[in-house]
Amino acid sequence: MSEATTQLKQPKIFDTIDAKVEGKPGLKTVWQFGKFIVASLVATIIQTVLQLVLPLIFDHFQAGLPSFLSWIINPSTLEGEDALKYVVTVAGKSVVTWGYLLPFFISNYAANIFTYIFNKKYTFKSKAPKWHFVLYFILMTLVIVFSTWLQGVCYAWLSAKGWNASLVRLVVMIPAVMVQFIAFFIIQKILLPEDPELAAAAEADDADATEEVAEKAVELTEDGHVLTDDIKLAQPKGRKPIDGDLERRYIRDMTGNQDDE
């Protein structure tokens, strides 16, 4: 088995769908988007766990952000205990601390690097060169910074309109998440061009799997009167098993074999 094939270990249902959408650009993009969603859900779990664990390491970083970074996160988006812990005054201006920024960015980086690796292997089946990852890292940083800044801007705008603070914090997450989700899908699709060999390997694997299922569907004795477990399971529960001519007809219909005997 080739190296390209061994790299494509994924659920067989994914292989089957990959093969069916091959050569259909519209459906293929929709399917890629679906797998991208799966990767993003796993990435969200990774990010959430890290955001809970990393503060245990970085909470003692009490220095405020320098002025050239302080605009990234609006300190007013923090409240209660978080505001007391992560907001300090520097030169008469409230800024968040490194103890807040580092877990936030590290967890974002880890989650989005995971999606890059996952989507490179399974979603886009790419052999993109390493410098594409360097470019992705730069673009990823810009997207994270922009979406974080956008969240702060939206928070200030909605707060000025008199919205409830808790509701505002929930609402402002929507545009930030949407920006990251759409931007990262487009960026990864461009930076991870599909490799024809990997796509062909996936299609070949699906063909092999289909042939294997067909072979297992009918395993007859020499007289051709024994149904396999697969065919037995296909019969309605409570019905007496078919035999003789009816059995052969059933097998013929299941396998598409038009030869009588």
Side-chain angles (χ1 to χ4, degrees):
M1 186 175 291
S2 67
E3 180 182 355
T5 305
T6 57
Q7 289 179 345
L8 293 171
K9 297 298 183 182
Q10 61 177 354
K12 286 189 176 182
I13 183 64
F14 280 18
D15 289 332
T16 301
I17 299 176
D18 285 345
K20 290 184 181 299
V21 301
E22 191 63 36
K24 303 173 183 177
L27 288 176
K28 190 171 187 176
T29 299
V30 171
W31 173 231
Q32 288 174 339
F33 192 73
K35 288 205 280 189
F36 184 85
I37 292 175
V38 173
S40 298
L41 291 175
V42 177
T44 299
I45 296 174
I46 294 173
Q47 183 175 348
T48 301
V49 171
L50 288 177
Q51 285 182 332
L52 293 173
V53 173
L54 290 177
L56 301 177
I57 301 172
F58 293 105
D59 269 0
H60 65 280
F61 286 49
Q62 294 296 316
L65 297 179
S67 57
F68 71 92
L69 291 177
S70 61
W71 59 272
I72 297 176
I73 299 179
N74 184 349
S76 63
T77 59
L78 281 69
E79 67 176 355
E81 184 178 343
D82 285 344
L84 294 174
K85 185 186 298 185
Y86 299 120
V87 178
V88 296
T89 301
V90 177
K93 182 181 178 181
S94 295
V95 297
V96 299
T97 65
W98 284 104
Y100 181 82
L101 184 76
L102 289 175
F104 178 81
F105 269 84
I106 291 174
S107 61
N108 265 277
Y109 279 132
N112 287 295
I113 288 174
F114 164 80
T115 63
Y116 181 90
I117 296 172
F118 179 95
N119 290 322
K120 180 179 180 179
K121 293 182 65 176
Y122 303 113
T123 302
F124 302 113
K125 298 181 176 62
S126 176
K127 287 184 179 179
K130 293 180 180 179
W131 70 266
H132 277 210
F133 176 76
V134 175
L135 181 56
Y136 174 75
F137 191 88
I138 295 172
L139 294 173
M140 175 177 61
T141 300
L142 294 176
V143 170
I144 293 174
V145 168
F146 174 76
S147 61
T148 304
W149 169 82
L150 178 64
Q151 193 170 343
V153 170
C154 292
Y155 180 89
W157 179 63
L158 293 176
S159 295
K161 292 183 174 294
W163 284 40
N164 177 270
S166 298
L167 178 61
V168 169
R169 285 183 176 82
L170 181 63
V171 170
V172 297
M173 292 177 63
I174 298 175
V177 170
M178 291 297 294
V179 165
Q180 286 200 25
F181 190 79
I182 295 173
F184 285 132
F185 178 76
I186 295 173
I187 291 171
Q188 290 184 18
K189 187 167 177 61
I190 293 173
L191 292 181
L192 298 173
E194 182 179 77
D195 183 89
E197 291 184 4
L198 295 180
E203 191 169 358
D205 282 348
D206 179 64
D208 291 343
T210 302
E211 183 178 352
E212 182 181 351
V213 171
E215 290 174 354
K216 289 182 177 179
V218 180
E219 294 175 356
L220 302 174
T221 60
E222 291 182 357
D223 61 2
H225 286 75
V226 177
L227 291 175
T228 63
D229 289 340
D230 291 338
I231 295 179
K232 289 177 181 177
L233 289 174
Q235 300 179 65
K237 290 183 178 179
R239 179 175 296 179
K240 183 179 179 180
I242 57 178
D243 53 28
D245 293 337
L246 289 178
E247 178 184 330
R248 284 193 292 274
R249 181 185 297 176
Y250 184 84
I251 294 171
R252 183 188 62 194
D253 292 341
M254 289 284 290
T255 61
N257 184 3
Q258 298 302 316
D259 296 333
D260 291 332
E261 291 270 350

